[in-house]
Amino acid sequence: MRNEQFEGNSFGIRNVYRRLELYYNDLVKFNISSSPNQGTVVSFEIPIKLLEIQGGESRELSS
């Protein structure tokens, strides 16, 4: 989705993608598939665990 070939009013999906990218950096995978008369599927993958550094301390986060 990095090429961002958006048409019409797609601000909602773009906003979700950018927010995920801000939080997960390059670890987020985002995919949109669409077929005429079939519908559209939006999927994303994010890591279950991240390493967060706060105040010089590292701790593992899990969702």
Side-chain angles (χ1 to χ4, degrees):
M1 188 158 158
R2 289 196 187 277
N3 59 5
E4 295 194 24
Q5 296 177 2
F6 292 100
E7 295 180 18
N9 296 323
S10 58
F11 294 106
I13 291 175
R14 183 182 334 195
N15 188 33
V16 169
Y17 171 73
R18 286 188 176 158
R19 286 176 183 268
L20 287 171
E21 189 177 46
L22 279 172
Y23 189 77
Y24 295 103
N25 299 312
D26 292 333
L27 299 175
V28 65
K29 295 178 183 176
F30 200 89
N31 187 45
I32 301 173
S33 337
S34 186
S35 300
N37 301 319
Q38 297 292 318
T40 301
V41 175
V42 178
S43 60
F44 63 93
E45 294 178 34
I46 54 174
I48 292 175
K49 296 181 180 181
L50 282 180
L51 188 64
E52 181 184 74
I53 300 173
Q54 285 186 334
E57 223 177 284
S58 298
R59 67 184 178 115
E60 193 175 280
L61 297 177
S62 59
S63 43

